[in-house]
Amino acid sequence: MRYHTPTSFADAAAIAAGTTGTLRFLAGGTDVLVQMRAGMVQPDDLIDLKHIPGVDKIERTAEGGWRIGVAVPGIVLGGHAELVRDWPGVVEGMNLVGSTQVQGRATLAGNLCNGSPAADSVPGMVAAGAVATVTGPNGTREIPVENIPAGPGKTNLAKGEVISAITLPPRGKNGGDAYLRFIPRTEMDIAVVGCAVNLRLDGDKVVEARVALGAVAPTVLLSEACAKAIIGTTLDDAALAALAKAAEGEAKPISDKRGTKEFRIDVAGVLARRAAKIAYDRAKGTSK
Amino acid sequence: MARDDVKTGYKYVGTRPNRPDGLDKVTGRARYGADFSLPGMLWAAVVRSPHAHARIVKIDASKALALEGVKAVVTRADLPTGLTGEDLNLQDNTLAGEKALYDGHAVAAVAATSQLLAQDAARLIEVTYEVLPHVTDVDAAMAPGAPVIRPGVADYSVPEGMHGNVARYMEFGHGDVEAGFAAADLVREHTYKTEATHQGYIEPHAAVGQLGEDGRGEMWVCTQGHWYIRRMSAAVLGIEAANLRVTPSEIGGGFGGKTTIFMEPLTLALSKKAGGRPVKLVMSRSEVLRATGPTASASMDVKIGMKKDGTITAGQVFFRMQGGAFPGMSPIGEALPCAFACYDIPALKHEAVEVIANRPKAAAYRAPGSPMAAFAVESMVDELCRELGLDPIEVRLKNGAKNGSKSSYGPVYNVIGLQETLEAAKAHPNYAIPLGPNQGRGVASGFWFNHGGETSVSLAVGEDGTATVMIGTPDIGGSRASIGLMVAETLGIPYEDVRVNVVETGALGVNEPTHGSRATFASGKAAVEAANQAIKEMCKRAAAEWEIDAEAVEWKDGAAHPAGPNAGKFPPMTIGEIGSKMGGSGGPISGHHEVTAGGYGASFGTHVVDVEVDPETGRTTVLRYLVVQDAGTAIHPAYVEGQYQGGAAQGIGWALNEEYVYGPDGRLQNPVFLDYRIPVASDLPMIDTVIVEVPNPGHPYGVRGVGETGITPPLPAIASAIAGATGARIRSLPCSPPKVLAAIKALKG
Ligand SMILES: Cc1cc2nc3c(=O)[nH]c(=O)nc-3n(C[C@H](O)[C@H](O)[C@H](O)COP(=O)(O)OP(=O)(O)OC[C@H]3O[C@@H](n4cnc5c(N)ncnc54)[C@H](O)[C@@H]3O)c2cc1C
């Protein structure tokens, strides 16, 4: 195995483009190193991204959003008061990942590129409208986060491409987001279902909404049907029931060791309802 | 209940000093199995079958052996032939013979100069398999058409006409059950299932083994019983027991799972082939889950009759238990006697079969068989109580076993504490807390026989009047502290002046493992006897110096005293004085006691749990949990409470989320802690404990043994609490959210 420590994303992309065997990037390593230890992956090339200047920074963008470096660990996101004020749902998703030890390393980009349908930070990023900046041999492009995962363990990144930052849009006024996951235990478990809701209010009325469902399809789903069920409503009981129904309809889960198909469908509806209420209260400013 | 044959008012027994191994453990200094290394040591890795059932056609290790640094490969062809019975089973499990019998079954092992190299080499060993039909479920293994995985497995006990996977049959009972059912106002009959669960000890199996061409070897190993490791490894490898010296490490949990061998002999076989270099083997968590012994899975028919006033008139059970691909491992012999052990019922019928299936060889797990049996019987008792509107504690008080009751399995109970645990549970504030919406309360009692067993202990008095105690039962739950307290009490010297060491196989006679909740009972009893022997000798030395009769000397408060005014007037001679002069007064002073310890007493417990169930997701939260159990005498109450809490925690895991999940291909789907869902700390409330003390007359300090009973009641108690919260009765563990939600939805129709 060759271990690389490039100091720019251009170099990282060039090294990646030149590899022929199994390649992995090393951000926090909480997926990669575990998979290597378990004998699941034996990379020929391991490209450590943590030597690239700026990867540990969280910065305001000119538009008022947030640009998050690809090595920023969960614990730093959780400790960033302004970011948490803007995007509590995104941060709470990331902060659910693993334990205190894992939080010290695990990153948003790693969670996204590991390609798990159950990744906890991805529904929140998708609902928020986050964008990944991708550096490749031919330069840089911006891709909505929902278009990165291609299926379990796979991404749509081309050979030589690496995510160089994740950007969250400006929060704007009267917005709120939330993420909930279902696990049988209280921590150290994989989401059986996850759901993030991001919405904006005008008075009591929902005027914008994005709803993302995790662990109920090969990739995290951005559900228009769910959004439609609540846009234009005050999130009254009828709207919540319609949202639950839409979420159940969108969910296309499998039965596996972590839960049955029927269960995941039911719980997708329950979590959508519950997450929407939290997001709504946050948008209203009645809760944090 | 005060009894005059029971002494109380001890100075050290019943106190809570720090455990002697505590500082080492919290500072990381303690040496566990994987911490041991030797100069020139090689590392081993194991090649395991990816198939549940397959004929091994060919093993080609040439590519592995061609790697620089690879020193030895062993397969079954390297082990002696001609073994029979359980020795053959152990050998078959150590390395597969003609067939791999479960996913994870060891097929070959390799030793190399580094761990990574050994793992690389293992991947290069090519095994050709012919995949065979498999079966992993207990009921499916007995169904018509199920593949017979080991023809001829049935022993003499199996009646004609049973499926070829049935290895053993048992039955016993008393009274007329049909008449009993006829006399009942309500008779119910259901089938209950429990999945296999793993002990989940923190420390994976680890050993360093060394075996020379001369057939003399040593092993350093994480185990509950090093004499068992010695006997079993010697049998599997065809060497003499005395030529194998086994030293136990500190142990990161065992719960029964480390009372046998899995990979340990491989270190010796590889060492011998590698010219006697020591070989270290440490299992990964996945190997532990795939290839060490979980407990059995069970499918259990129960029928019980009850009168409107709560009197139980008759009970009948038929248990089917699957303990892996080897006979003898499913605990039907314990499950049946435990089934109704808490009750005094006029008519009972017990039947059980052991079934083999393509799963790893089961091992003991905390009160083997008792939790499953309790799940079936105590769930059923709760169902009857709810249907008849009766209080579950009152019904147990009414039907519960008492002093002098003839037990459900034959012997008469001497002095037991079941009724006391029920009274204490009833009086506990938790039992009166009002329940909110979606909340339910469950009650269940549990039982474990406890055990005595082969025990050998020595004690030596130091020149400074301290005492060293040599025991052969590895300390898992604080037994060194408890034995130290009993010896301190007996000798009348401070606890700090007693050091208890777990010693290797060369230092004592044969000791059974720390199993059956026996260490504090049996090693403690033998240590007290050894101390008494040393006391006798010390009295003799004092008598010689005082020139009086040894019978005229008595021992108290750590010193020899003249027994009375007639004995003469001498100042007390302390253990320190005697120790400092022992070289000149007759030589070293020690005591030794060995025995197959009798007099053990059963421990009963009663648990009360409150849960809340999310009606939309089926997720259960344990709100509060109470363990009441009879300890006999709690030598070190903190470690008794720890056993109660630990047993409850494991039982809650078994009840709620733990299970072995096999895919249609017969492979274990969840061989990692991420998906094998043991409760994490935040899943549990602080577990309340009440120690009931009904001293065991068979032990000098009244000890019963407390390690196992606590895992028994949680299974039915949790299921009953969920039934209370939701109206839905889960008769198949675990009560995982998908199952509970489906049951709630089914109720709503
Ligand atoms: C004990 C434990 C508990 C866990 N619990 C959870 C949990 O609750 N929820 C959850 O979602 N996950 C969980 N995880 C998984 C893991 O922690 C997360 O997925 C984490 O976010 C991965 O981030 P990382 O920085 O460690 O990624 P790494 O391991 O460094 O990388 C992960 C993958 O992403 C690729 N990659 C990394 N960075 C980039 C980049 N910039 N561009 C392109 N590809 C990249 C790598 O090639 C690799 O394939 C857990 C892991 C452990 C060990």
Side-chain angles (χ1 to χ4, degrees):
Chain A
M1 187 188 77
R2 285 169 295 272
Y3 173 67
H4 310 271
T5 53
T7 53
S8 74
F9 280 104
D11 285 354
I15 296 166
T19 60
T20 51
T22 304
L23 163 71
R24 288 291 185 276
F25 293 103
L26 184 65
T30 61
D31 280 313
V32 169
L33 296 181
V34 174
Q35 289 160 8
M36 284 169 62
R37 290 281 301 259
M40 287 158 64
V41 197
Q42 238 69 75
D44 299 296
D45 292 276
L46 189 62
I47 305 180
D48 192 342
L49 302 174
K50 293 188 291 296
H51 296 256
I52 301 172
V55 290
D56 56 346
K57 298 244 158 26
I58 303 174
E59 291 161 334
R60 268 272 186 221
T61 62
E63 297 77 34
W66 295 99
R67 191 173 190 280
I68 300 168
V70 295
V72 176
I75 203 155
V76 172
L77 294 174
H80 196 292
E82 283 178 274
L83 179 71
V84 173
R85 198 176 314 127
D86 279 4
W87 294 106
V90 174
V91 177
E92 74 194 347
M94 190 60 213
N95 284 347
L96 283 174
V97 170
S99 56
T100 304
Q101 293 92 324
V102 171
Q103 280 291 307
R105 302 298 281 181
T107 66
L108 288 171
N111 196 226
L112 179 64
C113 294
N114 186 53
S116 165
D120 279 311
S121 75
V122 177
M125 288 196 281
V126 168
V131 169
T133 305
V134 175
T135 303
N138 307 320
T140 294
R141 58 184 183 131
E142 309 265 293
I143 306 177
V145 157
E146 56 269 30
N147 294 341
I148 299 277
K154 297 199 187 79
T155 69
N156 289 314
L157 296 176
K159 187 168 165 69
E161 285 190 322
V162 53
I163 295 182
S164 43
I166 287 184
T167 306
L168 292 168
R171 172 66 279 185
K173 285 205 174 5
N174 305 320
D177 73 334
Y179 173 74
L180 289 176
R181 70 170 177 186
F182 181 85
I183 54 171
R185 294 181 288 185
T186 45
E187 57 180 329
M188 299 307 290
D189 221 327
I190 301 283
V192 181
V193 181
C195 180
V197 176
N198 171 30
L199 48 75
R200 189 182 309 285
L201 303 181
D202 184 358
D204 288 342
K205 201 181 260 177
V206 178
V207 290
E208 287 170 28
R210 284 168 69 91
V211 178
L213 294 167
V216 293
T219 61
V220 170
L221 294 177
L222 176 62
S223 165
E224 254 185 64
C226 288
K228 271 200 193 131
I230 55 172
I231 291 174
T233 75
T234 57
L235 211 66
D236 53 9
D237 288 349
L240 287 169
L243 171 63
K245 204 145 194 276
E248 290 166 14
E250 292 280 74
K252 300 279 178 295
I254 52 166
S255 288
D256 68 5
K257 61 193 170 192
R258 295 182 184 137
T260 59
K261 181 177 163 183
E262 300 71 36
F263 178 75
R264 286 188 156 113
I265 291 173
D266 285 339
V267 173
V270 173
L271 293 191
R273 255 195 289 121
R274 292 179 182 179
K277 274 204 238 174
I278 299 170
Y280 188 90
D281 289 344
R282 284 175 176 166
K284 275 256 164 207
T286 53
S287 88
K288 278 200 180 135
Chain B
M1 194 179 32
R3 297 198 6 247
D4 11 319
D5 58 329
V6 170
K7 200 175 155 245
T8 52
Y10 299 119
K11 191 161 176 197
Y12 300 107
V13 163
T15 62
R16 300 171 180 243
N18 286 338
R19 62 205 295 158
D21 44 317
L23 185 62
D24 283 351
K25 283 179 174 167
V26 298
T27 55
R29 217 159 42 205
R31 285 179 303 252
Y32 290 91
D35 293 326
F36 199 82
S37 348
L38 284 173
M41 189 178 77
L42 302 173
W43 284 85
V46 178
V47 180
R48 297 184 179 280
S49 169
H51 305 295
H53 194 197
R55 192 170 308 286
I56 298 169
V57 179
K58 191 173 155 210
I59 303 174
D60 180 357
S62 54
K63 283 187 191 150
L65 285 164
L67 278 188
E68 165 114 30
V70 172
K71 301 296 181 191
V73 169
V74 295
T75 66
R76 185 58 179 275
D78 294 290
L79 302 186
T81 54
L83 275 60
T84 57
E86 182 55 13
D87 289 347
L88 178 59
N89 287 331
L90 289 167
Q91 192 183 49
D92 267 336
N93 195 40
T94 304
L95 276 176
E98 280 171 27
K99 295 202 298 184
L101 294 165
Y102 56 91
D103 167 41
H105 196 168
V107 171
V110 53
T113 48
S114 79
Q115 193 171 19
L116 281 178
L117 189 60
Q119 286 164 358
D120 283 347
R123 275 189 284 271
L124 290 175
I125 295 178
E126 289 165 6
V127 185
T128 314
Y129 297 97
E130 176 197 332
V131 177
L132 301 169
H134 68 270
V135 63
T136 54
D137 178 75
V138 52
D139 288 323
M142 284 179 74
V148 176
I149 59 178
R150 304 181 83 191
V153 76
D155 74 6
Y156 65 90
S157 65
V158 178
E160 283 288 317
M162 285 202 169
H163 193 283
N165 288 331
V166 175
R168 206 156 41 114
Y169 171 82
M170 266 184 82
E171 70 163 327
F172 63 88
H174 65 258
D176 182 344
V177 287
E178 291 316 322
F181 291 133
D185 294 312
L186 183 63
V187 179
R188 287 281 174 258
E189 192 171 359
H190 289 296
T191 299
Y192 299 81
K193 283 189 89 162
T194 59
E195 236 321 317
T197 54
H198 196 273
Q199 299 83 355
Y201 30 78
I202 295 174
E203 187 189 9
H205 298 252
V208 176
Q210 187 270 321
L211 182 64
E213 292 298 325
D214 56 358
R216 296 163 82 90
E218 284 207 50
M219 196 193 291
W220 296 264
V221 58
C222 168
T223 178
Q224 288 176 245
H226 33 309
W227 279 269
Y228 269 31
I229 294 275
R230 184 179 75 163
R231 173 167 59 72
M232 295 175 182
S233 298
V236 165
L237 300 172
I239 57 178
E240 295 79 29
N243 278 334
L244 184 58
R245 179 180 176 193
V246 184
T247 306
S249 66
E250 285 291 341
I251 176 168
F255 311 106
K258 291 177 184 163
T259 55
T260 183
I261 54 165
F262 293 102
M263 57 39 160
E264 291 79 4
L266 295 176
T267 63
L268 298 170
L270 286 165
S271 172
K272 187 165 179 201
K273 245 190 149 177
R277 284 174 74 170
V279 173
K280 179 167 180 169
L281 181 47
V282 180
M283 277 183 146
S284 69
R285 181 62 60 187
S286 292
E287 288 181 291
V288 168
L289 288 168
R290 285 170 73 205
T292 69
T295 187
S297 62
S299 168
M300 301 166 287
D301 305 331
V302 184
K303 184 175 178 183
I304 297 178
M306 197 183 270
K307 289 193 173 164
K308 282 191 186 123
D309 69 353
T311 306
I312 301 176
T313 56
Q316 183 174 327
V317 295
F318 194 113
F319 291 173
R320 295 163 293 274
M321 297 185 130
Q322 171 287 132
F326 299 87
M329 298 322 293
S330 80
I332 55 172
E334 291 84 10
L336 282 187
C338 289
F340 291 103
C342 293
Y343 296 95
D344 190 348
I345 300 174
L348 289 174
K349 185 169 179 204
H350 305 76
E351 278 179 285
V353 289
E354 161 167 27
V355 193
I356 63 166
N358 295 111
R359 294 206 194 194
K361 190 174 196 276
Y365 180 15
R366 214 168 190 155
S370 190
M372 301 83 147
F375 177 62
V377 169
E378 290 292 84
S379 288
M380 170 63 90
V381 169
D382 191 76
E383 293 193 50
L384 293 166
C385 290
R386 282 179 205 271
E387 216 172 322
L388 292 171
L390 298 169
D391 177 273
I393 293 186
E394 294 299 343
V395 166
R396 285 174 175 81
L397 280 167
K398 193 182 189 90
N399 297 283
K402 303 177 186 67
N403 294 351
S405 299
K406 189 169 160 62
S407 69
S408 61
Y409 57 99
V412 171
Y413 291 127
N414 181 6
V415 180
I416 58 169
L418 173 64
Q419 298 282 329
E420 287 80 352
T421 69
L422 288 162
E423 292 290 358
K426 193 168 108 179
H428 193 277
N430 282 18
Y431 200 58
I433 294 174
L435 294 171
N438 303 314
Q439 297 182 357
R441 177 165 296 152
V443 173
S445 293
F447 160 86
W448 185 245
F449 312 90
N450 290 327
H451 184 51
E454 287 168 276
T455 311
S456 172
V457 170
S458 291
L459 176 148
V461 175
E463 303 88 323
D464 56 356
T466 59
T468 305
V469 185
M470 288 144 269
I471 58 168
T473 43
D475 177 0
I476 311 181
S479 52
R480 273 171 294 191
S482 300
I483 291 165
L485 285 168
M486 288 185 272
V487 169
E489 189 76 50
T490 307
L491 290 176
I493 61 175
Y495 166 75
E496 291 72 23
D497 286 0
V498 180
R499 178 159 182 166
V500 183
N501 295 323
V502 181
V503 298
E504 43 103 353
T505 51
L508 286 174
V510 170
N511 274 275
E512 270 179 46
T514 298
H515 66 175
S517 296
R518 75 177 209 96
T520 300
F521 170 78
S523 284
K525 190 171 176 174
V528 169
E529 287 308 318
N532 282 331
Q533 201 183 330
I535 286 172
K536 209 167 165 200
E537 180 62 25
M538 289 190 286
C539 288
K540 222 165 98 186
R541 303 283 170 101
E545 185 157 332
W546 292 332
E547 295 179 349
I548 62 173
D549 267 4
E551 285 70 50
V553 178
E554 67 176 9
W555 189 264
K556 60 177 194 243
D557 298 330
H561 297 255
N566 295 343
K569 264 195 138 192
F570 304 101
M573 193 182 292
T574 64
I575 186 171
E577 286 173 68
I578 298 171
S580 70
K581 290 189 284 196
M582 64 187 167
S585 70
I589 298 173
S590 55
H592 180 81
H593 191 74
E594 50 204 5
V595 65
T596 295
Y600 54 89
S603 180
F604 289 86
T606 298
H607 293 197
V608 180
V609 57
D610 293 350
V611 304
E612 181 166 328
V613 179
D614 182 337
E616 293 185 325
T617 65
R619 191 175 176 285
T620 299
T621 302
V622 180
L623 300 172
R624 58 189 76 84
Y625 200 102
L626 170 66
V627 180
V628 185
Q629 191 183 321
D630 175 18
T633 300
I635 302 297
H636 191 304
Y639 302 155
V640 171
E641 288 157 2
Q643 290 296 317
Y644 290 3
Q645 292 168 328
Q650 286 186 313
I652 293 168
W654 198 340
L656 287 179
N657 287 305
E658 289 180 40
E659 63 179 317
Y660 269 48
V661 182
Y662 280 92
D665 56 2
R667 288 181 190 168
L668 185 60
Q669 302 286 295
N670 57 338
V672 283
F673 273 158
L674 203 53
D675 290 314
Y676 180 83
R677 290 161 168 148
I678 281 179
V680 297
S682 52
D683 290 344
L684 300 178
M686 186 63 189
I687 293 168
D688 302 316
T689 56
V690 174
I691 302 175
V692 165
E693 292 185 286
V694 178
N696 169 22
H699 185 278
Y701 290 106
V703 169
R704 284 184 187 277
V706 295
E708 291 172 279
T709 303
I711 196 176
T712 298
L715 285 63
I718 295 266
S720 297
I722 291 172
T726 64
R729 173 66 59 171
I730 308 294
R731 298 196 185 95
S732 163
L733 293 184
C735 301
S736 57
K739 218 183 268 175
V740 174
L741 185 61
I744 293 172
K745 284 175 72 176
L747 272 188
K748 288 185 186 151

